[in-house]
Amino acid sequence: MNSGYPAHREADVVLRDGSTVRLRPVRPEDEEALAAFFGGLSLQSLAFRFFSGAADLEKAARMMAEVDYADRYGILATRGDDDHPVGHGVYLEMGGGQAEVAFAVSEDMQKMGLGTILLAHLAQTADENDIPTFVAEVLPQNHKMIEMFRESGFPVESKSIAGAIRIAFPTSLSSGALERFEDRDRLAAKAAVRHFLEPRSVAIVGASRRRGTVGGEVLHNMVESGYPGGLYPVNPAAETVQGVPAFPSIAAVPADVDLAVIAVPAEDVVDVARECAEKGVRGVLVLSAGFAETGKKGARLERELLGVCRDAGMRLVGPNCLGVLDTAPESGLNASFAPSAPPAGHVGFVTQSGALGLALIEFAEERGIGVSSFASVGNRADITANDLLEYWEDDNATRVALLYIESFSDPRRFSRVSRRLGPKMPIVVVKSGRSAAGARATSSHTGALLAASDQATDAIFEQSGVIRTDTLSELLDVASLLSSQPLPEGPRVGILTNAGGPGIMCADACEASGLELPELPRSVRARLRRFLPPEASLANPVDMIATASPEHYRRAIEVMAEWDGIDALIVIFIRPLLTEARDVAAAIGDAAAKLERRIPMQAVFMTAGERETLVAAAGVPAHTQPEDAVRALREAVGHARWRQRPAGETREFADVRPDEAAATISEALATGREWLDLDECQRLLDCYGVRLPRSRLATGPEAAGAAAVEIGGRVALKAHGPTILHKSELGAVRIGLEGGEEVTRAAEEMDASLAGLGIERDSFLVQEMVSGGVELLVGVAADPVFGPVLACGAGGTTAELLHDVAVRICPLTSADSAEMLRALAIFPLLTGFRGAAPADLGAVDELLLRVSAMADAHREIVELDLNPVLAGPSGAVAADARIRVASSTPPRPWPRTWA
């Protein structure tokens, strides 16, 4: 896109020293002046600007002068009558609403605010040209540029990669723009999913006249669902398909197409996708199998398909999926080949497995669970469960989200979305992979603790308010309760039954699940006694005995629900004599519909084939076993407690130095090492205010003795090396040493012992002794599902033996840190056990929050151990630290197209 020279962007601006410079857009004829400007920069400035002091400046100048004033835009700051440049800024549009931005300022003009002025000018221009986001890569040593971005007023996000720091920020500071920048994932996801669940027109490529084929069933379902939009079967061999006019190709469709459903052999899918791209289709739903699930060849085909979609800005559901459906009356969409459709309702389903998707739809229909929308994402090459969750957040028809997932494509986003969505919409998950067999090998205490069991995953779900179930049956039990009943206000349960045995089973299950069965007060017993037979037991459970009639059920439900001593009611029926289950179901439904005080109610029909009789009974969930009802209620109570807990705040620390920390990580990554050395660990932790004892590095025994004298007092001696992971087990730590001679002798003995084991050390660490305190472990492990997980537990040499650990995802809130400590079995030791001085819990809380802030800001930290952390009356001190980093993004030269 070429535009005329924007003369209106020329301006004189005042710098910090009161002087002025002239700003004007770059012209093509500025090539020579740009080359001269770049040639006048110092080697350091050239390296900072081009990532090399030996860049081809003439080529760079030629590229900088190629501007179109929209997608490629440059700005010059000039001075003097000869209009010589003293500063230059440029952005290059790179697709996806982003542009790369870069600057250079002559040495004599630095620290005068010129870089910030150039940035503001570029950002305004980019915003007016509908480019919402700037990205940049900066060398870790370029502190001035990083500081300029930080102080610009834009909300900057940064990430360390090997040899650089990647920065992103919005081009507008308006409140709306800032909200869009911070919320861009949600807005993009909603817009994308809308193409699939709210399309104005649908083309079915591969539509067939034969029922029983994928293309035939999808078209049949679309017709049967009463889809009100444009429906275009694509079949080159037919003029009509199932009574609907057909077209030979997607290009021949005489209207715009929002959604294309593709049901052709895998080898033809990419060509069809290209035709869709040329047609301007917004979303493609690929039902075809034969992609990454089949092996390397299929994976290559899937990457090619995704590349076609990305190049065209088309979104993709699938491949290898069942389809999507939406039950809203105005939508009437069933773009799936499922043999049946669930009733309309308030549950959103998303599944990775097409087969389980079929089962979910069938079971939901059988149990009367109403569905708002459904998506089978298959290989989730593009659209994932996260996108559906973002869409459902503002969907009034969806009250509960159900997920079957095998893994998360974007764990950080999932944790963020689930935390935000949980307080207003329960998320219920069946996630495979509870065993530790697939856990990765790890070298840290924290990694070993988290990989040893599924504790981390369960704790993470709990923190995010996500309900995890083990089976599809449990998933549907919980969904049935949450979608039709209010959340319980507490754990107190009332049980009504017509048989003692099932009532006792239900009571036992309640007690095992942490639910309470309060005794009935005299007033409630008196009301029940008026109509129940004398033989009825009026404890809790209330056993109305086998002669209980439907009217007894109706009246007893009314009495029990009006009693404010319970928060939920479970009603059990087992068929005796001639009482019909359907009559009892009608009575339960009638009573539930007329309750003035609504509490969650469930029914249990312990008679084969009778559960469905309650489907129409005012939406009361029904089960065949009491334990199923109790499990569902337990999850509802837990979720209600999660909503009621104090939200806490993610604390921001004014004294942290994230840019310096990012530079430390980037420099370490550039060396190819994963484990930081001692100096790097100390520098990184110091950036986040994590307190360490005074220490000195020493190359040998004599130097260690000298370091001990310098520190003074009692010290600890530790050997360090790449294979010295658990020091105590290798005899690589000695404590309570005093004086140079004792430390030197201990170091010599340690060297001899390690040599006998065939282990070489790099150095010794001599560290001041920290007196007293409870030994804790504070650590981070990069979980492959949820990103950084922070662990806190019993520390020292027994950390893995005791396995007393609490975990949370980062970032922690103040409520999270407090809960972690109080969840530990050793918590009483921190509060002054048996007369000991209590630890400073505030200091431990702060340490957890600081480590969380560091792990969340620097996702390159994949393992971190502070073990032990000594928590005492005077604070919390990390006596030892190990940190491993890894780059998640391969490095590339800067700038990509201009160097």
Side-chain angles (χ1 to χ4, degrees), residues 56 58 136 177 211 335 350 386 486 494 497 567 569 587 603 626 635 637 705 779 783 823 889:
D56 186 339
E58 291 186 359
R211 294 289 307 278
V350 61
N386 288 333
T497 180
D567 305 300
L569 185 60
E635 301 300 345
V637 168
D783 187 273
T889 306

Side-chain angles (χ1 to χ4, degrees), residues 196-247:
F196 295 92
L197 296 182
E198 303 175 33
R200 292 167 297 180
S201 56
V202 178
I204 302 175
V205 185
S208 174
R209 288 171 288 194
R210 290 187 298 114
R211 294 289 307 278
T213 63
V214 172
E217 290 304 308
V218 173
L219 179 58
H220 171 77
N221 287 343
M222 286 292 292
V223 173
E224 286 295 306
S225 66
Y227 175 66
L231 183 60
Y232 307 106
V234 175
N235 186 326
E239 293 185 359
T240 63
V241 180
Q242 298 186 36
V244 183
F247 302 89

Side-chain angles (χ1 to χ4, degrees), residues 279-303:
K279 178 70 176 176
V281 173
R282 306 301 297 275
V284 290
L285 171 61
V286 180
L287 307 179
S288 314
F291 290 87
E293 77 281 4
T294 64
K296 292 182 179 179
K297 182 179 178 181
R300 286 194 298 271
L301 190 61
E302 186 170 309
R303 287 194 296 270

Side-chain angles (χ1 to χ4, degrees), residues 480-493:
S480 180
L481 175 60
L482 293 177
S483 63
S484 65
Q485 304 292 305
L487 282 175
E489 295 182 359
R492 302 169 301 173
V493 184

